[in-house]
Amino acid sequence: MTSTQSSGQGNSTLARAGDLSRRTLLGALGIGAVGATVGAWPRLTGADIPGRNSTALNVAILGTSADAAARQALVDEFTSLHPDIPVRIQAIQGADWRDFFSKILTMVAAGNPPDVVYVATEGAQLFAKKLAEPLDPYLTRDAADIQEYFQDVHPSLIEAFMYRGSLYQLPLDWNAANMYLNTSALQRAGLDRPADDWTNEDFTAVMRAMKSTTDGSFTPYYWTNRLFGGVVPWLYANDTSFLAEEKATGGDWFWDRFYSKDPTRSLRSGGYLWETPNAEDPRVIETFDYLRELVAEGLGVRPEGGGGNALVGLFASSRIGATPAGGYWVQGLHEAGMGADDFDVQFFPRWRTQRHQFGAAGYAIMRTAKDKDAAWEWVKFCASKPAMELAFPTPNTTPTRRSMVNQSLYASTGPEHWKVFYDTLDRFPTSGPIPAPPQQAAVETALMKNVSVAVSGSSAQVRSAMGSLQRDLELALRSNQ
Amino acid sequence: MSAPTLKTPSNPTTTAAPAARKRSTRQNKSMAERLIAPLFLAPTVIGMAIFTIVPILASVLLAFFRWDIISAPEFVGFSNFADIVSDPTVRVSFLNTIVFVIVAVTLQLGIAMVLAVAIQGRMPNWLRVFFRSAFFFPLILSAASVSIFMGYLFNEQFGVVNWMLSVVGVPAVPWLTTSGGAAAVVVLVYVWQNFGFSFLLFVGGLASIPKELHEASALDGATGWRQFVNVTLPLLSPTVLVASVMAIISALQVFDQPYVLTRGGPGDSTRTAVMVIFESAFQQLEFGRASAIGLVLMMLIMAITALQFRLSRRFVFYQ
C-alpha cells in the first residue's frame, strides 16, 4: 500500500514534473519564436533590403562591387557639390544588359526600384516606354547649363535615346562596331592596314590572305551572336536590317534648341521605331548568305552566343585576325599585353553603304524615383566634363564627349588610328543604334537562335532560317511590352 | 449500519475526486499533446505555406492573367494556355526536354550503377573512398561555373577537346554550334555533374543487400552477370525507383547547362521547358504565360512520377 502510494505519488510527481517541463519547453519555444520574429522583422518585412526606406538617391549600374567602388570618386565629387543629396551606388551583376534589365524589373516588382539606372541602348526603349521619366522639362529648365554638353556630343548618340519625341537619357559612353585588326596577322599576310573605304569584298580578300599564311589554330574573323557586333553591322553596311527602321515624328523642340546649327540637323527625328519584322528582305538574305560563305570557307567562325569573354585573350595571343568591336576593347587589349602597334582599328567595311552600328549608355531617371529633381542633378552632374573625366579615366569605353576622345586617352595604349572611333559618327552620320525596340529581349532571342542556323548550313537553309526569324519576330513584337 | 450510511455519500466523493483529477490531468495532457504536435509542425507548415503552397497557388492564378510586372495584371482567361499550345517554340522545348530526360537519365543511372557495382569489387579502402569522393565531387560545383568551363573546353576553334582530337587526326568538331553537337555536350555536362548523386544512392543500396544472398547464389552457381541480374538488381530495385524518380524530376527541370552553354541554340535545338519559362517571365515580361508553361510542366512531372510509382508495382521488389 505504502509502496503503491509512494509509487503513485512518484508517478504523479514525475507527471507534474513532466507537465511542467513541457510547459517550460513550450514557453521557451514560444519566447524563442517571438524573439526570432522580432529579431527577423526587418528581414521578414524586407526593411533591410539595401536601398529600401533609404533617403539616398539609389543609382543602379551594371557591374560588381568593384565597379561601384570605382565610382566613389564620382560620388564624392557630387556630394561636395550637393551635400543635401546622398547617393548610393548599387552595382548589379549580370551576364549582359538583358540580364541586368531583368534584375531591375525584378526590383521594380519587389517594390524596391532604384531611382536612377544606367541603361544601354539595348534597354533604352523599354525604359522609355515603361519605366523612365522624360528629361524634357529639365532640359528646358536648365538649357543654359546643359548646352555645353550637347555642343560636345554627336547628335546621332542623342537621337538613340529619343523615344517618340522625348529625350530620356544623356549618353555618357558609346561604342561603334569598328573592325579591329591584328597587326601581326596582317604582316604575315603581307598586307597593310586596309583603306578607309574598303569593301566587303576587300574584307573577304584580307581574311583569305590571313588564312593562307597561318595554320589551323588561327581564325581570320571571329564574331559573336548577339545584337551588338554580330550580324547587325553587316546588315547596316548592306543598307538593311532584320527590323524595318522608321523614325518617329517630334523632337523638333529639342533639335532646334540644342542642334540647330548642326550640319546633320535635317536627319534628326523623334527617335527610332522598330515595329515591323524585315527578315525576309532580299538584302537581309544576301547578307546572311555572305556570312554563311565566310563560315563555310573557314574564314569566320560559327558564332556562339554571349559577349565573347575569351575574345580579348584570343586576339591578344594572335589567334584571331579581325573582329568587330568598339573603343571599349582598347584597355582590355592593353592589359592583355598588346602594345600600341600590335593592333589597329579601321571602319567597318563598305557594302551598299558604310553605315555603322553603335551602342551607347547613360542614366535614366525612374518614374518611381523618390526625388526626381535630385535624380536630375545626378544625371546633369554625370554629363559634365569633370565628372566624365572621373568616370572614364582609361579607354575601356568611348566617352560621348568628342573633346575627351583625344591623343592623351590613347597615348599609352594605342591604337594608332584611334581617331576612327569618333570619326565613325562624323564620316557616317546616318550610323544607327542597336535595333532595340521595347521588346528587345524577345527580339534578341529570336535573332540569336536563327543566326546560328542560318550561317551553318546551305544557301537554302538561310531562306528557311529567315522565314523562321520573320515568324519569331512577329511573335516577339506583338508581345505586351 | 450508520457508518455505511454516513460513508456512502462521502465515498463516491473521495473516490471521484482523484478520478476527476486524473480525467482532468488526462484531458490537460491530451490537450497539451494535441498542441505539441501542431507546434512542432508549425515552422515547417508555415514555411511550406509561404514558400511553396502560396507561390504555387499564385502561379496558378497568374496563369490566367497577362502581367508584365510594371502594369496592372489583366485577366485573359485561358488565352495563355492557348498561346503556348500554338507556339512552336514551346512545343519544341517540351519535346527537347522529354528527349533530354530519356537520354540523360538513362546515361546517369546506367553510369552510376556500373560505377557503384565496380567499386564494390576488391580494392583498397582508401581507393574506394577516393572514387566515391571523386564521383560525387562534380555535384557540389555550381552548374553555371561548370557550364562556363565546359564551354571553353568544347569551343570549336580553341577548345581543348578539339585540340586533343586534332592530335589523333580528327578534324575540329563544331560542338556548340550544330544541333547534334550542342545537344550532346549539354547531355554530357549534365550527366557528368549529376551521376554522382545516383551513384551514392546505389552504393547505399548495394551495401544494404545481405552478403549471404550473394554467397548462397554463388553456391548455386550464379556468378557475375547472372548474379547481378537475378540477385543484385531485384534487391536494388527500390533504390533504382528512388534514384529514377529523383533523376527524372531533376532532368525535367534542366536549365543551367543549356542556358549557359548554348542559350538554347543553335535554333531551338537545346531549348528546354524551364528555359522557355525563364525567357517568357524575365526577358519577355510575360509572367502569365510563364506561369501557364510552369503549370503544364508541373503536371507533366506529376504525371510521370505517378506513372513511375504505378509501374513500380511490377518491377520493384521489397525484401
Side-chain angles (χ1 to χ4, degrees), chain A residues 51-306:
Chain A
R52 176 165 285 184
N53 302 326
S54 161
T55 55
L57 189 69
N58 208 14
V59 179
I61 59 165
L62 169 62
T64 62
S65 55
D67 295 306
R71 281 172 168 77
Q72 194 52 50
L74 199 64
V75 174
D76 293 344
E77 183 64 24
F78 178 77
T79 308
S80 69
L81 295 170
H82 301 279
D84 54 326
I85 307 175
V87 174
R88 181 177 170 277
I89 302 284
Q90 189 172 10
I92 295 166
Q93 294 196 44
D96 50 27
W97 283 106
R98 186 167 53 166
D99 198 20
F100 172 70
F101 300 145
S102 297
K103 289 176 180 176
I104 295 291
L105 290 165
T106 310
M107 291 168 75
V108 172
N112 185 38
D115 298 306
V116 179
V117 185
Y118 201 67
V119 180
T121 326
E122 285 89 334
Q125 294 206 348
L126 168 66
F127 275 72
K129 185 172 181 183
K130 297 270 186 180
L131 299 162
E133 182 77 7
L135 302 180
D136 307 358
Y138 299 106
L139 291 169
T140 307
R141 189 188 74 190
D142 294 346
D145 296 341
I146 205 76
Q147 180 73 50
E148 175 270 335
Y149 164 81
F150 290 119
Q151 282 171 352
D152 206 11
V153 176
H154 197 280
S156 290
L157 301 174
I158 304 295
E159 193 179 16
F161 293 98
M162 291 283 272
Y163 185 68
R164 298 188 183 277
S166 287
L167 186 64
Y168 285 84
Q169 293 169 245
L170 301 181
L172 303 180
D173 75 304
W174 73 288
N175 291 283
N178 297 126
M179 192 67 77
Y180 275 70
L181 297 156
N182 194 303
T183 310
S184 61
L186 282 175
Q187 285 171 349
R188 271 201 306 272
L191 300 169
D192 293 326
R193 177 174 172 269
D196 287 358
D197 59 347
W198 64 324
T199 65
N200 63 316
E201 288 173 0
D202 297 332
F203 172 80
T204 309
V206 170
M207 296 303 107
R208 280 188 185 134
M210 283 184 176
K211 184 177 172 62
S212 67
T213 54
T214 49
D215 60 20
S217 66
F218 176 83
T219 299
Y221 180 57
Y222 199 102
W223 58 304
T224 50
N225 186 6
R226 55 179 174 152
L227 266 181
F228 178 80
V231 71
V232 179
W234 290 106
L235 292 169
Y236 279 16
N238 200 16
D239 200 19
T240 187
S241 182
F242 66 99
L243 295 173
E245 185 178 292
E246 295 169 84
K247 296 270 188 100
T249 54
D252 290 334
W253 66 271
F254 173 82
W255 299 116
D256 290 342
R257 181 150 204 165
F258 295 106
Y259 285 94
S260 59
K261 291 176 186 166
D262 189 273
T264 64
R265 163 67 187 89
S266 60
L267 297 172
R268 304 305 159 195
S269 66
Y272 290 84
L273 294 173
W274 298 281
E275 296 177 323
T276 315
N278 190 43
E280 291 177 303
D281 177 61
R283 288 185 189 177
V284 172
I285 293 171
E286 180 187 33
T287 310
F288 272 90
D289 207 37
Y290 170 73
L291 291 168
R292 183 193 65 77
E293 285 173 0
L294 281 183
V295 172
E297 203 179 327
L299 303 178
V301 296
R302 288 185 182 86
E304 288 179 21

Side-chain angles (χ1 to χ4, degrees), chain B residues 268-289:
Chain B
D268 285 325
S269 59
T270 55
R271 200 171 305 279
T272 64
V274 177
M275 278 186 74
V276 176
I277 293 173
F278 172 79
E279 287 167 356
S280 296
F282 294 102
Q283 293 181 350
Q284 296 160 18
L285 301 185
E286 295 191 359
F287 281 80
R289 186 170 178 272

Side-chain angles (χ1 to χ4, degrees), chain B residues 203-231:
Chain B
V203 167
L206 287 168
S208 69
I209 298 175
K211 282 182 183 170
E212 296 79 15
L213 292 175
H214 282 121
E215 287 164 3
S217 65
L219 285 173
D220 289 340
T223 53
W225 175 250
R226 202 166 166 194
Q227 189 181 66
F228 175 76
V229 171
N230 293 317
V231 179

Side-chain angles (χ1 to χ4, degrees), chain A residues 19 22 26 95-96 98 102 105-106 109 130-131 217 219 222 301-304 309-310 314 319-320 441-442 445 449 452-453 456 479-481, chain B residues 25 29 36 39-40 66-71 83 87 89 152 155-158 174 176-178 263 266-268 271 279 282-286:
Chain A
D19 285 349
R22 276 197 291 275
L26 288 173
D96 50 27
R98 186 167 53 166
S102 297
L105 290 165
T106 310
K130 297 270 186 180
L131 299 162
S217 66
T219 299
Y222 199 102
V301 296
R302 288 185 182 86
E304 288 179 21
N309 297 329
L314 294 170
R319 297 173 77 178
I320 292 172
T445 300
K449 87 175 203 190
S452 51
V453 174
S456 301
S479 71
N480 63 354
Q481 286 177 34
Chain B
T25 309
K29 273 163 74 176
I36 283 172
L39 273 171
F40 275 97
R66 183 181 292 273
W67 188 46
D68 66 356
I69 287 185
I70 304 157
S71 320
D83 275 357
D87 187 338
T89 304
Y152 286 121
N155 182 286
E156 183 184 352
Q157 281 73 37
F158 314 108
L176 296 171
T177 48
T178 55
R263 296 273 168 143
D268 285 325
R271 200 171 305 279
E279 287 167 356
F282 294 102
Q283 293 181 350
Q284 296 160 18
L285 301 185
E286 295 191 359

Side-chain angles (χ1 to χ4, degrees), chain A residues 312-436:
Chain A
V312 167
L314 294 170
F315 191 89
S317 58
S318 296
R319 297 173 77 178
I320 292 172
T323 193
Y328 62 87
W329 236 39
V330 172
Q331 186 66 19
L333 293 180
H334 175 67
E335 288 170 2
M338 288 200 105
D341 298 329
D342 294 337
F343 68 101
D344 211 339
V345 65
Q346 181 53 290
F347 297 119
F348 204 80
R350 167 180 292 278
W351 197 327
R352 284 187 169 83
T353 73
Q354 208 165 357
R355 182 184 194 226
H356 280 58
Q357 180 200 29
F358 67 80
Y363 289 106
I365 300 172
M366 298 288 276
R367 286 177 203 168
T368 50
K370 297 181 290 285
D371 184 345
K372 292 188 181 67
D373 285 343
W376 165 246
E377 289 304 326
W378 171 260
V379 171
K380 194 168 65 168
F381 164 76
C382 288
S384 69
K385 194 167 179 180
M388 283 180 66
E389 283 170 343
L390 279 173
F392 309 118
T394 57
N396 58 7
T397 187
T398 314
T400 50
R401 282 177 174 271
R402 184 192 304 274
S403 62
M404 286 175 63
V405 185
N406 53 36
Q407 177 62 43
S408 67
L409 186 63
Y410 300 99
S412 61
T413 59
E416 183 185 345
H417 294 90
W418 55 266
K419 284 187 178 173
V420 160
F421 295 133
Y422 218 102
D423 283 354
T424 298
L425 296 174
D426 293 329
R427 292 276 294 272
F428 314 108
T430 60
S431 290
I434 294 163

Side-chain angles (χ1 to χ4, degrees), chain B:
Chain B
M1 288 298 284
S2 61
T5 311
L6 286 170
K7 280 181 182 175
T8 305
S10 65
N11 274 348
T13 313
T14 50
T15 52
R21 270 202 304 276
K22 272 185 186 173
R23 270 202 305 278
S24 170
T25 309
R26 214 179 293 126
Q27 278 171 356
N28 287 343
K29 273 163 74 176
S30 63
M31 186 171 285
E33 279 162 5
R34 278 202 300 272
L35 275 174
I36 283 172
L39 273 171
F40 275 97
L41 284 172
T44 307
V45 170
I46 292 169
M48 267 194 73
I50 293 174
F51 297 110
T52 307
I53 309 292
V54 171
I56 287 175
L57 293 176
S59 182
V60 171
L61 196 64
L62 196 54
F64 297 92
F65 285 81
R66 183 181 292 273
W67 188 46
D68 66 356
I69 287 185
I70 304 157
S71 320
E74 175 197 351
F75 182 74
V76 292
F78 284 91
S79 137
N80 286 325
F81 293 95
D83 275 357
I84 63 174
V85 169
S86 63
D87 187 338
T89 304
V90 177
R91 289 203 302 268
V92 168
S93 70
F94 270 86
L95 186 65
N96 288 344
T97 306
I98 289 167
V99 172
F100 174 83
V101 168
I102 293 168
V103 177
V105 171
T106 306
L107 285 173
Q108 181 180 332
L109 296 183
I111 292 169
M113 188 177 290
V114 167
L115 292 174
V117 171
I119 71 155
Q120 301 300 308
R122 286 190 174 183
M123 66 173 69
N125 200 41
W126 65 265
L127 194 59
R128 188 172 287 120
V129 171
F130 168 76
F131 279 132
R132 280 183 193 168
S133 309
F135 295 150
F136 190 72
F137 180 68
L139 197 65
I140 63 173
L141 299 175
S142 143
S145 307
V146 166
S147 302
I148 291 169
F149 176 69
M150 291 291 185
Y152 286 121
L153 289 188
F154 284 98
N155 182 286
E156 183 184 352
Q157 281 73 37
F158 314 108
V160 174
V161 174
N162 275 354
W163 174 78
M164 290 170 78
L165 290 174
S166 73
V167 171
V168 293
V170 178
V173 179
W175 293 108
L176 296 171
T177 48
T178 55
S179 302
V185 172
V186 169
V187 169
L188 186 75
V189 173
Y190 179 87
V191 170
W192 176 78
Q193 194 167 15
N194 287 280
F195 82 90
F197 185 69
S198 309
F199 166 80
L200 273 197
L201 289 178
F202 289 145
V203 167
L206 287 168
S208 69
I209 298 175
K211 282 182 183 170
E212 296 79 15
L213 292 175
H214 282 121
E215 287 164 3
S217 65
L219 285 173
D220 289 340
T223 53
W225 175 250
R226 202 166 166 194
Q227 189 181 66
F228 175 76
V229 171
N230 293 317
V231 179
T232 310
L233 205 51
L235 293 171
L236 198 60
S237 56
T239 313
V240 173
L241 174 67
V242 172
S244 64
V245 166
M246 295 179 83
I248 288 174
I249 290 174
S250 171
L252 279 165
Q253 299 173 70
V254 63
F255 173 78
D256 310 54
Q257 292 85 359
Y259 183 75
V260 176
L261 280 165
T262 64
R263 296 273 168 143
D268 285 325
S269 59
T270 55
R271 200 171 305 279
T272 64
V274 177
M275 278 186 74
V276 176
I277 293 173
F278 172 79
E279 287 167 356
S280 296
F282 294 102
Q283 293 181 350
Q284 296 160 18
L285 301 185
E286 295 191 359
F287 281 80
R289 186 170 178 272
S291 292
I293 303 170
L295 271 182
V296 173
L297 180 64
M298 188 178 81
M299 286 189 281
L300 180 68
I301 291 173
M302 286 167 68
I304 290 176
T305 308
L307 184 69
Q308 276 182 283
F309 277 105
R310 191 165 182 81
L311 290 176
S312 73
R313 291 176 198 165
R314 292 186 187 174
F315 70 82
V316 175
F317 174 78
Y318 293 99
Q319 287 182 68

